[in-house]
Amino acid sequence: MTAQEPLTVGVVGASLGKSWGAGTHLPALRRLPAYRILAVGSSRKESAQATAEAFDAPLAFSDAEELIAHPDIQVVSICVRVAHHEELVRAAVARGKHVYCEWPLATDLLQAEALAALSARAPEQHMVGLQGVRSRGALQAKELIAQGRIGRVLSASLTVRLSGFGNATLPRTRLHTLTPESGTNLLTVGAGHALATLTTVLGPLRSLSAATGTRTPTVMVAETGEQVAAEVPDQLTLAGELTDGAVVSVAVLGGAQPGAAHFSLHIVGSEATLDIQPVTPTLPVQIAEWAIRLTDHNGSRNLSSDGAEGAVENVAAMYDALATAITTGGRVSPGFEEGLATHRLLAGIERSAQTGSRVEFTDPS
């Protein structure tokens, strides 16, 4: 491949009108000259063909393994449910493909460890969809701290409010979020993105204590009125300590109404305070543009990240970083190692909540 030739990509899990792959990944890829969408895959041939036509992709597949095996595809994007991530990542790595796997990387820590080890042995690039690691706002806040603009970090508190987890009514297509086996719930999605974003700004956690609860134990199926048991927590609070000794608190709260402000982050330093909100209230912490206000002895002023916001822009920035890593041979970020670190944090949260004990991370990286 020469520098001018675009990378050919196949997106697994792309159906028009209802999928993250078609609604976000394909529009993001289409705006980037570094990529050419060669193939899309869906569980039904008809939907795959319709999506391929809509995005000018020459190939459509109803079998993900066939898409991955195609010799002309260089990058495989995995946008299906988490339960299928492991098998598809393994297939793509075995075929020597570069991989963008959506978050969560795996259904549990053991799977994440295995995939990270597999990635480490392969020469290709493997990115995980923790968009907050590359969030313009998170990187700006990190730089402000690194420049000493707030002095020494004393504490931080992050509150995330989620709709779609912990609500009393869900559509049938969301029922898988009620079981731990699916790998998609408030802890893995809400807390995973929140913690990956927070540690991008502040650095890794050294220890934490957590409490979880299921405040909506039964959920009504919107289409039928059937009552279904919820087997996963819909509320989380934790108190943690960073490696430098600063203390943090995180609350990930399910059951929010659509339209509620999604997050607020407050970082207290020895010389100043950062107060952070999303510019568009309903966008999540890993995607939104950040309204950053710094308050010190001179008063308050706006230092907003002033970047493009929204899921498509956010994912396009991720793909741009992946293309750079592929063409230069540099380390991709966020890679599977960052994904594993976040899975370890989530496992620590579950262990702390179950045992009532504080969890220490001897290797926070």
Side-chain angles (χ1 to χ4, degrees):
M1 184 188 74
T2 67
Q4 289 74 35
E5 292 176 331
L7 294 158
T8 54
V9 59
V11 179
V12 182
S15 296
L16 287 176
K18 62 180 181 180
S19 73
W20 178 254
T24 304
H25 280 252
L26 290 173
L29 285 163
R30 186 161 60 177
R31 67 175 57 184
L32 296 173
Y35 292 93
R36 176 190 173 214
I37 303 170
L38 186 64
V40 296
S42 178
S43 58
R44 293 173 52 248
K45 185 68 174 180
E46 295 81 4
S47 62
Q49 189 62 52
T51 307
E53 292 174 1
F55 288 91
D56 300 319
L59 302 174
F61 295 88
S62 58
D63 186 314
E65 298 276 355
E66 289 183 9
L67 183 153
I68 291 169
H70 196 283
D72 295 334
I73 292 175
Q74 297 168 296
V75 181
V76 173
S77 297
I78 298 171
C79 305
V80 296
R81 288 187 180 180
V82 184
H84 301 293
H85 283 187
E86 183 186 31
E87 62 183 295
L88 296 179
V89 167
R90 287 187 175 278
V93 172
R95 294 280 184 176
K97 311 293 185 177
H98 303 288
V99 176
Y100 184 135
C101 182
E102 264 302 342
W103 175 260
L105 177 60
T107 58
D108 56 34
L109 179 58
L110 286 177
Q111 275 192 8
E113 289 175 335
L115 293 181
L118 184 70
S119 172
R121 296 192 297 269
E124 291 78 27
Q125 301 286 358
H126 306 115
M127 173 174 268
V128 66
L130 285 169
Q131 295 100 326
V133 174
R134 301 204 68 85
S135 159
R136 188 188 298 266
L139 294 176
Q140 181 183 5
K142 177 181 180 178
E143 182 63 19
L144 290 169
I145 293 170
Q147 291 171 351
R149 296 287 296 276
I150 69 170
R152 183 167 53 93
V153 175
L154 305 177
S155 64
S157 61
L158 172 64
T159 300
V160 174
R161 293 162 287 271
L162 297 178
S163 176
F165 299 101
N167 295 91
T169 303
L170 286 177
R172 186 183 292 109
T173 55
R174 296 280 297 168
L175 295 182
H176 65 287
T177 65
L178 302 178
T179 64
E181 295 80 12
S182 74
T184 304
N185 54 63
L186 176 133
L187 292 183
T188 60
V189 177
H193 279 300
L195 289 168
T197 306
L198 186 66
T199 55
T200 294
V201 176
L202 298 174
L205 285 164
R206 179 164 65 193
S207 65
L208 64 81
S209 297
T212 61
T214 305
R215 299 294 292 159
T216 306
T218 58
V219 174
M220 186 177 74
V221 182
E223 294 86 351
T224 66
E226 175 188 4
Q227 297 290 323
V228 178
E231 303 173 32
V232 292
D234 54 37
Q235 309 294 325
L236 161 70
T237 61
L238 70 83
E241 184 181 16
L242 300 176
T243 54
D244 67 358
V247 296
V248 300
S249 63
V250 178
V252 182
L253 311 175
Q257 296 305 307
H262 193 280
F263 75 93
S264 57
L265 171 59
H266 307 281
I267 303 171
V268 179
S270 58
E271 305 296 332
T273 299
L274 294 177
D275 294 292
I276 300 167
Q277 307 279 347
V279 171
T280 299
T282 56
L283 286 180
V285 62
Q286 72 275 12
I287 287 176
E289 179 188 350
W290 289 15
I292 302 173
R293 180 163 290 276
L294 183 145
T295 302
D296 60 14
H297 63 279
N298 293 317
S300 294
R301 53 196 176 279
N302 182 22
L303 300 174
S304 294
S305 59
D306 193 27
E309 67 173 353
V312 173
E313 291 78 6
N314 181 271
V315 171
M318 293 278 284
Y319 274 113
D320 189 49
L322 177 60
T324 298
I326 291 171
T327 55
T328 65
R331 178 181 175 275
V332 71
S333 179
F336 281 16
E337 279 301 316
E338 283 102 327
L340 175 58
T342 303
H343 273 288
R344 284 175 174 156
L345 279 178
L346 297 177
I349 288 170
E350 291 183 307
R351 189 160 69 251
S352 177
Q354 290 166 1
T355 64
S357 62
R358 192 167 190 84
V359 172
E360 303 282 340
F361 299 98
T362 56
D363 180 15
S365 62

